[in-house]
Amino acid sequence: GSFPTMNQTMTNLRYMYLYHNSFSGPCPKLDSSKLIRWYAYNNFFTGSIPDFSTCGNNLRIVKGAKNLFSTYTTGFLSGNTNAYTIDFSNNRLEASMLRPFLIDMVENYLNGGVTKTINFKGQSGPNRLREGSKFDGTTGEDSTEAKLKFLRGAGWSILLDS
C-alpha cells in the first residue's frame, strides 16, 4: 500500500530501511538533514526518484532498485555531495531523466562531491534509460554526452544498459 503519512518531523532520522515491502505510489519527500542511508529497494514506488535535497552532505547511500520509478526531478539530489552510492537499477526510468540527473551530479562534483557509483541498469519500458540516452540532441560541452563523459573521466562509475 501507500507509504504512511507521518505527522511528525523526523529531523533526527539517520537511517531509513524500507526494503522488501509492498509500498506503492510516489515516495514522499525525505525531510531529514541527518539522513545517511536510504534503502527502499523491492517495493512498488512510482513517479520521480524521491526528493533528497534537504538531506545535504550527510546522505551517503541511496538504494531504490526494483521499484517503478520513471523520472527524476531537477534538484532532488542536488547538494548531496557526500553520497557515494546511488542505485536505481531495475526501475522504469525514462531516457529523458538522464540530462537533469547529470546536471545535478556535475554540480555536486564541482562542489566537492564524492559520488562514485551510480547504477541505472535494468530499466524497462518503451522509452527506457540506456547508454544511447546520452544522444538526446544536445551538443557541445553542455551536452548530456559531455556531462556523462566528464563524470566518468573523474572516476565515477555510471552504469547504464547498452
Side-chain angles (χ1 to χ4, degrees):
S2 296
F3 190 77
T5 303
M6 310 252 180
N7 293 326
Q8 60 217 16
T9 55
M10 297 182 291
T11 55
N12 290 316
L13 182 68
R14 296 179 66 195
Y15 305 98
M16 184 174 265
Y17 296 101
L18 306 172
Y19 54 89
H20 295 290
N21 283 288
S22 295
F23 293 125
S24 61
C27 188
K29 181 176 182 175
L30 300 164
D31 198 7
S32 175
S33 61
K34 295 182 181 177
L35 189 65
I36 295 171
R37 292 183 187 148
W38 182 79
Y39 288 69
Y41 51 88
N42 286 341
N43 281 287
F44 300 98
F45 286 119
T46 60
S48 182
I49 288 173
D51 185 353
F52 294 96
S53 61
T54 60
C55 299
N57 290 332
N58 287 317
L59 190 64
R60 302 287 191 277
I61 301 172
V62 176
K63 292 193 174 189
K66 296 182 181 176
N67 278 283
L68 302 172
F69 292 115
S70 59
T71 191
Y72 175 77
T73 303
T74 303
F76 276 16
L77 279 162
S78 180
N80 305 123
T81 56
N82 288 324
Y84 57 84
T85 299
I86 298 172
D87 183 357
F88 284 97
S89 58
N90 298 298
N91 276 278
R92 293 187 178 168
L93 292 174
E94 298 174 358
S96 60
M97 66 76 58
L98 185 59
R99 182 168 179 74
F101 178 82
L102 289 176
I103 289 170
D104 284 350
M105 293 302 99
V106 168
E107 178 185 323
N108 286 352
Y109 174 78
L110 295 175
N111 287 318
V114 297
T115 302
K116 295 294 183 192
T117 302
I118 299 168
N119 188 353
F120 286 144
K121 288 184 124 327
Q123 302 305 318
S124 63
N127 298 313
R128 69 183 178 91
L129 176 66
R130 56 189 172 76
E131 187 70 32
S133 302
K134 65 187 176 189
F135 304 113
D136 61 357
T138 56
T139 59
E141 292 181 15
D142 194 41
S143 70
T144 302
E145 181 181 16
K147 292 181 183 318
L148 188 59
K149 185 177 180 179
F150 172 77
L151 290 170
R152 285 177 169 163
W156 290 34
S157 175
I158 301 174
L159 308 173
L160 302 167
D161 286 329
S162 305

